[in-house]
Amino acid sequence: MKQYIKYNPWKIIEKGFTPSYNQISESIFSLGNGKGGQRANFEENYSGQTLQGSYVAGVYYPDKTRVGWWKNGYPEYFAKVLNAPTWIGIKTKIEGKELDLNQCKVIDFERILDMKQGFLQRNFIAEFDDGKQIKVQSTRFMSLKRDEIGAIRYSITPLNFSASGEFILDIDADIANQDSNYDEKFWIEIEKSTSTDFTFITTATKKTHFQVCTAMDYSILQAGKTHILSSLQKIETEKYVAHKFNLELKENIETVIYKYAAITSSMYEAVENLSKMASALLDEAKHDGFEKLLEEQRLEWAKKWKESDIVIEGDVAAQQGIRYNIFQLNQTYSGKDERLNIGPKGFTGEKYGGSTYWDTEAFCLPFYLSTADQKIARNLLVYRHNHLQKAIENAQKLGFNQGAALYPMVTMDGDECHNEWEITFEEIHRNGAIAYAIYNYVKYTADKKYLATHGLEVLIAISRFWAQRVNFSEEKQQYVMLGVTGPNEYENNINNNWYTNTLAKWTLQYTMEATDYVKNNHPEAFQSITKKTNFDKANEFAKWSEIAKNMYFPENTEKGIFLQQDGFLDKEQLTVADLQASDRPLNQNWSWDRILRSIFIKQADVLQGLYFFEEDYDIKTIRQNYEYYEARTVHESSLSSCVHSILAAKLNKQKEAYEFYLNAARLDLDDYNNDTEDGLHITSMGGTWMNIVQGFGGMRIKENHLSFQPFIPEEWEKYSFQIRYRENLLLIDVRKNNVKISNQSGKSVTIEIFNQKYKLDAFKAIVVEMQPIEILA
């Protein structure tokens, strides 16, 4: 764990430059706007350790799969978000000497991510080997309002000399992915220009044939006045364009370079219009100027924070952590395009290929449901509906039929592109997470029509998969699920994972419920779905009912726990307390064979199921399972702490809930798992939001209304959060002695606080005394 980020409620601040932390900071200080992202690489050249990263939403490449032993059903490629042409370059030389923070002496380095206003600032003084000192101040952002525009203000001031400076402003498309399996470069050049009116380069991806036009323009001020260049060298090489010029730099006189970039892609424009569109966007941005663009950015972020901010008083580390998580979630996904989803690393790194996992449905959907217009969360579900046919084809490749669907573990466009057998073939609980997300969306929004337009078709296909994936055990006289991997990836190829079996049974039951609703309320849609899917309601319901009624669930009544899988108690019954510090993390210190045979759990598994379906279990059952499994969980997944925190809060284990929350909220800021350098844990950030709202705030939906059972961590003075619920906007303010809920919308709403119902009229508030809660050890 590293703790070099300074505590601040609205800013992420790095003081002093530590080269060994640079790639971590490049992730932490990343920028994005839903259509793309940019790691916090330096504008000037840097010869030290760096992971250059510019990303364009939806643009990917099917890299060749590399596996040691091929198995039938493996995908032939691993889809990955591409390191795109980089637009930020402002290369600087002073009297022939490169400004390079790996070569110069660095003085007074500071990097600041202003979350409230949405920009990155960097300030430093660099000293060359001849003693010349130069001060640099850089500010850049990716526009939320004009989401194809990026802008930089780059200021240079010589402190103890006057000299000629050489500058190169470039666009570099000759880049590669660090994770390229065969060191292949994925871009080819289409066209380019370095005219003074319009400098751009258009590149295309191999195989997938996406085209991206990256264009730049700039202006220069010296001593506050516009500077017109007297000479300019235009540079064009393969996949590279630049303008090179000299400026006379005078001691203690500031020179400012404003660089603007436009990035257009064939995701949104016809290829023949890409450069024309980029030119128009760039002209408008330059005409309006940096300050106007920055003011737009401030206003757009003000809207975001009005919708989604969480305020914590008395604990600046916790406040900074949750705001950082919310900031990155809003940078990653805007919900404007149903073709886009959320990668575990967002636009901050290459790991996981930028592809979609089950994380979106399980950990991100609740954030967008409660903090934005419901169409944004809806688009996350429509994304899966759009890929239904490919999910059916994916299941067919594995031997399933009759319209059964297995959604991919990893995907960009619906194709499975993950090739570890224990994940690709066995971690099938992802199907259940998608079904649960449909239920969660409908329950929260009351948009039952979604079942008729999209949801039911997906549910039927997933239920058909479960019905074929189980088999009847003659010995047990029940249906079993063999050869699976649950959320705990430290067990593979096990039988009857309790969580997977629970999801399968629940999905069958919910699909039947949803079917009856659509049939009774949207008969035309039901007829259309029946015809399209060849759905035989009577026969399929009979089969699903039989399976649901006779599903096998491993448990141990003596211990009062559900078993993670059939043989779980055959393992040596150790706890995390039995591990030596030198053992941790297991995935870096133990062989995989040793991990698979051990009792230790990567992340919530049985507890994930209890979190989803807590209303089906009494508090004693939840407590017994929590206490047994948490003691054996090493939390080596970023998705682990949030679920444990929510369940700990439910069990009134307030200290544990707070510690898990702080771990999740500051996972990347403090580099808990020594893996922030390759990108942030975006989907875990959704879980962190859940920690506060569902954990500390105790928010649930009961009988069609919101219910709250809040407590306040002893470290805090107060906290507050806003919730969109159907047509209402509620502000929940929790203090040591009371809870205040304000209805900020023009419609009354029924709420429940500490098991007491209240009708809250439009624009009114209610204050309820905090109830004393027994704290369990």
Side-chain angles (χ1 to χ4, degrees):
M1 185 174 75
K2 304 170 186 67
Q3 291 181 309
Y4 68 96
I5 299 299
K6 306 300 179 185
Y7 290 165
N8 184 285
W10 276 111
K11 295 178 180 179
I12 307 301
I13 303 171
E14 176 187 10
K15 289 273 194 181
F17 181 57
T18 305
S20 61
Y21 291 173
N22 185 53
Q23 286 184 244
I24 299 170
S25 291
E26 287 178 340
S27 296
I28 289 174
F29 291 85
S30 292
L31 296 173
N33 62 7
K35 264 196 181 175
Q38 173 64 53
R39 284 172 62 85
N41 310 117
F42 299 159
E43 288 87 1
E44 65 276 357
N45 273 330
Y46 181 68
S47 59
Q49 289 296 312
T50 181
L51 175 60
Q52 193 279 323
S54 299
Y55 309 102
V56 180
V59 175
Y60 69 94
Y61 179 80
D63 199 8
K64 301 182 187 73
T65 290
R66 173 181 281 176
V67 292
W69 191 260
W70 193 267
K71 293 178 173 61
N72 286 337
Y74 270 168
E76 295 183 357
Y77 69 87
F78 182 80
K80 56 184 56 173
V81 65
L82 290 186
N83 190 355
T86 179
W87 56 275
I88 64 173
I90 303 176
K91 312 302 192 296
T92 304
K93 288 184 179 180
I94 306 298
E95 294 184 328
K97 295 181 179 179
E98 188 87 47
L99 176 57
D100 178 347
L101 297 193
N102 193 50
Q103 302 297 326
C104 298
K105 181 180 179 181
V106 182
I107 304 170
D108 289 338
F109 181 95
E110 182 180 57
R111 190 162 14 192
I112 301 172
L113 183 62
D114 189 317
M115 298 183 289
K116 190 171 188 177
Q117 303 181 80
F119 65 81
L120 171 63
Q121 184 175 332
R122 186 168 55 103
N123 310 308
F124 65 87
I125 295 172
E127 183 176 278
F128 296 93
D129 55 13
D130 59 4
K132 290 186 175 68
Q133 292 186 351
I134 189 167
K135 181 172 74 172
V136 175
Q137 295 179 310
S138 168
T139 302
R140 78 170 179 244
F141 60 91
M142 298 185 70
S143 174
L144 284 184
K145 184 171 184 177
R146 313 183 194 198
D147 53 13
E148 290 161 310
I149 294 293
I152 302 171
R153 182 188 188 276
Y154 196 82
S155 159
I156 299 175
T157 306
L159 297 181
N160 59 359
F161 70 95
S162 297
S164 177
E166 177 188 282
F167 298 87
I168 299 176
L169 276 60
D170 63 9
I171 302 169
D172 187 359
D174 189 23
I175 39 79
N177 271 48
Q178 187 183 61
D179 66 352
S180 172
N181 276 338
Y182 295 87
D183 299 323
E184 182 180 7
K185 291 185 177 180
F186 305 133
W187 295 95
I188 57 174
E189 180 183 308
I190 301 299
E191 62 175 331
K192 63 190 173 193
S193 170
T194 55
S195 75
T196 53
D197 295 327
F198 185 45
T199 300
F200 76 96
I201 184 165
T202 300
T203 50
T205 58
K206 299 176 182 178
K207 295 185 180 180
T208 44
H209 308 296
F210 291 104
Q211 288 196 23
V212 172
C213 179
T214 309
M216 72 171 189
D217 204 347
Y218 55 93
S219 59
I220 302 168
L221 271 69
Q222 283 193 310
K225 297 181 180 179
T226 300
H227 178 80
I228 306 299
L229 293 171
S230 58
S231 63
L232 173 69
Q233 181 182 350
K234 301 169 185 177
I235 302 173
E236 291 187 14
T237 59
E238 185 182 1
K239 293 188 281 189
Y240 181 85
V241 292
H243 282 185
K244 180 179 178 180
F245 53 84
N246 292 318
L247 293 172
E248 291 302 318
L249 304 177
K250 296 182 180 181
E251 186 173 344
N252 291 318
I253 300 298
E254 182 184 46
T255 296
V256 179
I257 299 172
Y258 292 103
K259 184 176 182 182
Y260 306 93
I263 304 164
T264 57
S265 83
S266 56
M267 282 283 292
Y268 300 98
E269 298 291 338
V271 292
E272 61 269 20
N273 294 333
L274 286 180
S275 60
K276 181 179 179 181
M277 178 60 69
S279 177
L281 292 169
L282 199 57
D283 285 348
E284 185 178 12
K286 184 181 177 182
H287 175 268
D288 289 342
F290 185 88
E291 292 302 327
K292 181 175 180 179
L293 294 175
L294 185 57
E295 181 59 24
E296 287 179 355
Q297 186 79 341
R298 293 186 182 105
L299 293 174
E300 289 299 308
W301 271 106
K303 295 176 186 176
K304 292 285 187 184
W305 288 117
K306 186 176 181 181
E307 292 176 336
S308 57
D309 191 21
I310 291 178
V311 178
I312 298 171
E313 291 185 8
D315 189 343
V316 68
Q319 175 68 89
Q320 183 185 46
I322 190 59
R323 280 202 175 122
Y324 181 69
N325 284 247
I326 293 169
F327 178 75
Q328 292 295 350
L329 285 164
N330 280 323
Q331 285 201 131
T332 300
Y333 183 73
S334 67
K336 297 177 182 177
D337 188 344
E338 64 190 32
R339 296 173 300 172
L340 300 180
N341 206 278
I342 302 165
K345 294 288 185 178
F347 299 119
T348 69
E350 299 174 10
K351 192 173 181 180
Y352 304 118
S355 298
T356 298
Y357 288 63
W358 70 286
D359 307 16
T360 294
E361 284 77 21
F363 298 95
C364 293
L365 182 70
F367 170 78
Y368 298 104
L369 271 175
S370 297
T371 64
D373 188 284
Q374 74 180 46
K375 68 181 180 183
I376 291 176
R378 189 177 188 273
N379 276 347
L380 287 172
L381 301 183
V382 172
Y383 172 89
R384 293 295 194 179
H385 178 267
N386 290 346
H387 292 168
L388 176 57
Q389 185 56 43
K390 287 192 174 182
I392 292 171
E393 293 168 6
N394 181 48
Q396 288 172 344
K397 293 175 185 177
L398 302 184
F400 297 86
N401 54 39
Q402 297 178 332
L406 175 60
Y407 277 90
M409 184 66 185
V410 177
T411 191
M412 280 287 189
D413 64 354
D415 287 332
E416 175 66 81
C417 55
H418 195 285
N419 51 41
E420 296 176 26
W421 66 270
E422 66 272 25
I423 307 300
T424 308
F425 303 148
E426 296 194 340
E427 201 164 334
I428 53 178
H429 65 83
R430 70 230 192 203
N431 249 18
I434 292 168
Y436 185 84
I438 295 171
Y439 160 80
N440 203 11
Y441 169 81
V442 171
K443 181 179 180 181
Y444 194 90
T445 64
D447 178 17
K448 288 190 174 183
K449 187 177 179 181
Y450 180 80
L451 292 171
T453 58
H454 297 81
L456 181 58
E457 192 178 350
V458 172
L459 290 169
I460 289 171
I462 290 175
S463 290
R464 285 170 166 175
F465 171 83
W466 290 129
Q468 294 177 43
R469 186 59 172 79
V470 299
N471 60 273
F472 189 74
S473 166
E474 292 291 344
E475 179 184 352
K476 291 183 171 63
Q477 288 293 297
Q478 289 179 287
Y479 286 92
V480 297
M481 190 100 66
L482 308 179
V484 301
T485 297
N488 172 34
E489 294 173 338
Y490 287 178
E491 284 191 322
N492 300 152
N493 199 35
I494 47 90
N495 295 333
N496 295 308
N497 172 251
W498 183 87
Y499 171 70
T500 305
N501 286 18
T502 298
L503 273 178
K505 175 182 177 178
W506 174 87
T507 302
L508 294 172
Q509 293 173 325
Y510 179 59
T511 302
M512 290 188 285
E513 177 186 324
T515 300
D516 285 339
Y517 170 81
V518 174
K519 181 180 179 182
N520 294 333
N521 295 276
H522 302 277
E524 290 184 4
F526 179 75
Q527 290 300 322
S528 175
I529 293 169
T530 297
K531 182 178 180 180
K532 182 178 180 181
T533 63
N534 293 315
F535 182 56
D536 184 340
K537 182 176 181 290
N539 287 329
E540 296 196 56
F541 267 30
K543 180 66 174 177
W544 296 350
S545 297
E546 180 191 356
I547 293 170
K549 182 179 179 181
N550 295 290
M551 183 74 81
Y552 168 71
F553 297 97
E555 63 179 308
N556 182 278
T557 54
E558 182 180 341
K559 293 181 181 294
I561 61 171
F562 304 121
L563 296 183
Q564 190 166 277
Q565 47 95 357
D566 275 345
F568 196 75
L569 291 183
D570 293 333
K571 299 185 177 218
E572 186 178 6
Q573 292 296 300
L574 303 175
T575 68
V576 173
D578 296 313
L579 291 169
Q580 300 296 316
S582 58
D583 290 323
R584 309 285 298 273
L586 300 186
N587 57 26
Q588 296 177 24
N589 292 288
W590 282 16
S591 70
W592 193 242
D593 169 71
R594 187 179 181 188
I595 289 173
L596 291 178
R597 289 185 288 107
S598 79
I599 195 77
F600 299 113
I601 301 167
K602 182 182 180 185
Q603 68 189 81
D605 195 306
V606 168
L607 300 186
Q608 183 76 39
L610 292 176
Y611 161 67
F612 274 169
F613 305 114
E614 64 173 34
E615 66 274 11
D616 295 336
Y617 305 97
D618 61 36
I619 199 71
K620 180 181 177 182
T621 298
I622 295 173
R623 182 185 297 114
Q624 288 177 162
N625 279 275
Y626 174 88
E627 291 176 350
Y628 178 83
Y629 285 108
E630 197 288 315
R632 292 157 177 81
T633 302
V634 290
H635 301 291
E636 290 176 11
S637 164
S638 66
L639 301 176
S640 187
S641 291
C642 57
V643 172
H644 285 81
S645 178
I646 294 167
L647 289 177
K650 181 178 181 65
L651 295 170
N652 298 334
K653 295 175 179 285
Q654 296 183 15
K655 189 174 186 299
E656 284 185 37
Y658 173 77
E659 289 172 351
F660 281 128
Y661 160 75
L662 202 60
N663 176 286
R666 301 194 63 85
L667 181 71
D668 290 310
L669 291 177
D670 294 337
D671 194 25
Y672 267 94
N673 292 336
N674 296 315
D675 60 358
T676 302
E677 64 184 23
D678 55 27
L680 304 175
H681 297 83
I682 301 298
T683 50
S684 169
M685 292 174 173
T688 304
W689 178 90
M690 287 156 48
N691 281 177
I692 292 181
V693 175
Q694 298 179 7
F696 303 160
M699 188 185 85
R700 303 291 191 273
I701 298 175
K702 291 184 178 179
E703 299 173 355
N704 220 30
H705 62 262
L706 286 180
S707 170
F708 298 90
Q709 294 267 22
F711 78 89
I712 184 166
E714 63 180 29
E715 293 83 357
W716 298 0
E717 295 301 320
K718 62 161 283 189
Y719 67 98
S720 62
F721 56 89
Q722 286 196 135
I723 291 296
R724 284 189 183 214
Y725 180 66
R726 301 180 183 177
E727 297 180 26
N728 296 97
L729 180 64
L730 303 177
L731 174 63
I732 295 85
D733 187 296
V734 183
R735 299 173 185 262
K736 296 286 188 182
N737 58 351
N738 62 50
V739 180
K740 179 180 180 181
I741 300 184
S742 305
N743 185 357
Q744 300 181 314
S745 49
K747 184 179 178 182
S748 65
V749 60
T750 298
I751 60 172
E752 183 176 311
I753 310 173
F754 298 124
N755 300 316
Q756 180 67 44
K757 287 184 182 179
Y758 302 91
K759 181 181 178 183
L760 187 54
D761 291 331
F763 305 111
K764 297 293 184 180
I766 187 170
V767 178
V768 176
E769 287 188 10
M770 184 68 79
Q771 294 192 4
I773 299 173
E774 177 190 0
I775 308 299
L776 302 179

